[in-house]
Amino acid sequence: MKVISQKDKKQAFDILTNGGILGVPTETVYGIASSLESRDGIEKLIKIKKRPITSDKCFTLMLPSVKDIPRFADISRQEANLSRRYFPGELTMIFNKNPDFKNYYFDNFNTIGIRIPAHKYMLELLEKTGPLLVTSANPRGETPCLNWSEFKARMPKADAVIRGKSGNSLPSTILDIRSSIPHIIRQGGLLIVQYN
């Protein structure tokens, strides 16, 4: 497994766009990422995480900016307001998927979880690579990795890892905002008002 400096974004870009899997630091826990546009990368991510497309849990779509959300999600005015309030940050929001958005992976789901990280490296990488599928870096049933050396030891089937450490020991909070009363699915590092 390659260990890549955060300064070497070209190598990270090349790995992702060529169907590779990359360990990445975030402001929450370490993540494991594939390109949204790479079927090979997505299939490899599915195998590593042992989370088939038939699962009721889908990988998070990580974007660089709030303005990108309508391309992927059917977003209401309330949802747009919540997005502007909480993004970027330690939060994943569940939306109804935009029916015009077609993708090998997301065509199997009616909803979509979106996160915009508040992490300088990840935002810079996303600007270069475009949207990424990202999930916590851990073998199924185990706690997430918190730094690059832990990732290298525990996620050996990934192609590379970015050198660094996580900003938190907790994953992102997950908020389902599809109804008039949003509710928390998972309480992570970001504490927000519980709606339900």
Side-chain angles (χ1 to χ4, degrees):
M1 180 188 302
K2 292 182 179 178
V3 178
I4 302 173
S5 164
Q6 292 191 25
K7 295 180 180 179
D8 190 359
K9 293 185 183 62
K10 183 182 185 304
Q11 191 171 180
F13 173 84
D14 289 344
I15 286 169
L16 288 166
T17 55
N18 286 301
I21 298 297
L22 183 67
V24 293
T26 77
E27 77 276 29
T28 58
V29 295
Y30 244 71
I32 183 166
S34 74
S35 170
L36 177 66
E37 303 301 328
S38 172
R39 181 166 177 159
D40 288 344
I42 293 170
E43 289 179 345
K44 190 168 185 179
L45 186 63
I46 288 168
K47 288 179 182 177
I48 289 174
K49 284 291 289 189
K50 298 178 181 177
R51 187 184 296 173
I53 287 178
T54 54
S55 167
D56 60 352
K57 292 175 65 178
C58 63
F59 298 128
T60 296
L61 181 65
M62 197 171 276
L63 303 174
S65 173
V66 170
K67 66 178 172 49
D68 299 314
I69 295 175
R71 175 184 165 196
F72 306 100
D74 189 5
I75 183 168
S76 68
R77 180 176 294 180
Q78 173 185 278
E79 292 167 346
N81 289 338
L82 284 170
S83 299
R84 287 190 291 269
R85 178 178 178 184
Y86 287 110
F87 283 149
E90 300 175 33
L91 182 68
T92 299
M93 289 189 184
I94 306 298
F95 300 86
N96 287 313
K97 191 182 69 175
N98 183 339
D100 294 328
F101 167 51
K102 304 300 181 185
N103 174 265
Y104 156 72
Y105 179 73
F106 281 109
D107 285 351
N108 298 279
F109 300 93
N110 295 318
T111 61
I112 189 165
I114 292 177
R115 182 155 114 77
I116 300 170
H119 189 278
K120 184 175 183 291
Y121 173 81
M122 281 307 299
L123 288 171
E124 291 174 352
L125 183 65
L126 286 160
E127 288 289 354
K128 189 172 183 63
T129 62
L132 298 176
L133 282 184
V134 184
T135 186
S136 58
N138 56 283
R140 191 172 184 176
E142 297 183 18
T143 58
C145 300
L146 300 180
N147 57 60
W148 71 271
S149 57
E150 190 179 352
F151 182 97
K152 186 176 180 182
R154 295 173 60 199
M155 307 296 289
K157 293 183 180 179
D159 297 288
V161 60
I162 303 299
R163 188 184 296 271
K165 62 181 181 179
S166 62
N168 200 333
S169 60
L170 294 173
S172 66
T173 297
I174 300 177
L175 183 67
D176 188 333
I177 62 172
R178 291 175 295 157
S179 66
S180 59
I181 304 176
H183 65 278
I184 295 171
I185 295 175
R186 179 182 71 194
Q187 183 65 66
L190 178 66
L191 295 175
I192 58 177
V193 174
Q194 174 63 291
Y195 289 90
N196 59 346

